[in-house]
Amino acid sequence: MSGITDLRVLFDGQCGLCSRTVQFLYKREARARFTFTPLQSDLGRQLAAGIGIDPDDPASFAVLDPVGKGYLRSTGAFFALKHCRQPWSVFAIAAGLLPRAMTDFCYDFIAKRRLRFFGAADVCSLQQGGLAERMITSP
């Protein structure tokens, strides 16, 4: 694996939006820092429990920093964007100026309807090219 991968993205491996988010982050990260773990995997279930996400009914994706602190909902999305190339990192800073209650409301609105809006996905579709190397599913 090339680079330093010290940010772990936990995502719903059965969600089309979540799978597209993984692809988006992978293609736009400033440095190879992200690894990706589906919540439905053994490792995903273990990590989810540690930060309060129900892997059987995930309402959020999360980003874990190098010490294991979890960033959830809109905070997690902005934290991930902060580690992407320009202009995406600027959007993270600008969005950080908005009230968290408002950004979490928007996040929750989309998250509750994500399967209806974006359909289901299979995490196997992410197992291609360099992204496959960054998919971590077991401890």
Side-chain angles (χ1 to χ4, degrees):
M1 201 175 316
S2 61
I4 300 170
T5 54
D6 58 357
L7 300 173
R8 182 178 310 272
V9 176
L10 299 177
F11 69 99
D12 181 353
Q14 299 172 341
C15 164
L17 175 61
C18 303
S19 293
R20 289 181 192 132
T21 299
V22 166
Q23 292 170 345
F24 176 92
L25 293 173
Y26 175 73
K27 291 176 182 176
R28 289 165 181 84
E29 63 188 333
R31 294 181 303 151
R33 295 190 67 181
F34 293 118
T35 55
F36 304 96
T37 300
L39 289 162
Q40 291 80 6
S41 68
D42 291 340
L43 179 59
R45 295 181 79 73
Q46 177 184 348
L47 293 171
I51 58 172
I53 294 177
D54 178 358
D56 295 320
D57 186 24
S60 180
F61 93 115
V63 181
L64 302 176
D65 70 11
V67 297
K69 178 180 179 188
Y71 296 84
L72 305 174
R73 300 167 65 201
S74 66
T75 303
F78 298 142
F79 184 75
L81 280 177
K82 186 170 86 171
H83 297 283
C84 290
R85 294 186 306 270
Q86 300 276 348
W88 306 106
S89 59
V90 174
F91 287 130
I93 295 167
L97 300 174
L98 299 171
R100 184 170 164 194
M102 183 176 78
T103 59
D104 276 349
F105 175 82
C106 293
Y107 181 95
D108 291 341
F109 179 85
I110 293 169
K112 288 177 185 169
R113 296 160 180 82
R114 69 191 186 282
L115 295 176
R116 188 172 353 139
F117 291 164
F118 299 96
D122 183 0
V123 74
C124 295
S125 67
L126 298 174
Q127 300 288 339
Q128 331 168 13
L131 183 54
E133 292 178 4
R134 307 269 287 289
M135 199 67 57
I136 311 296
T137 58
S138 59

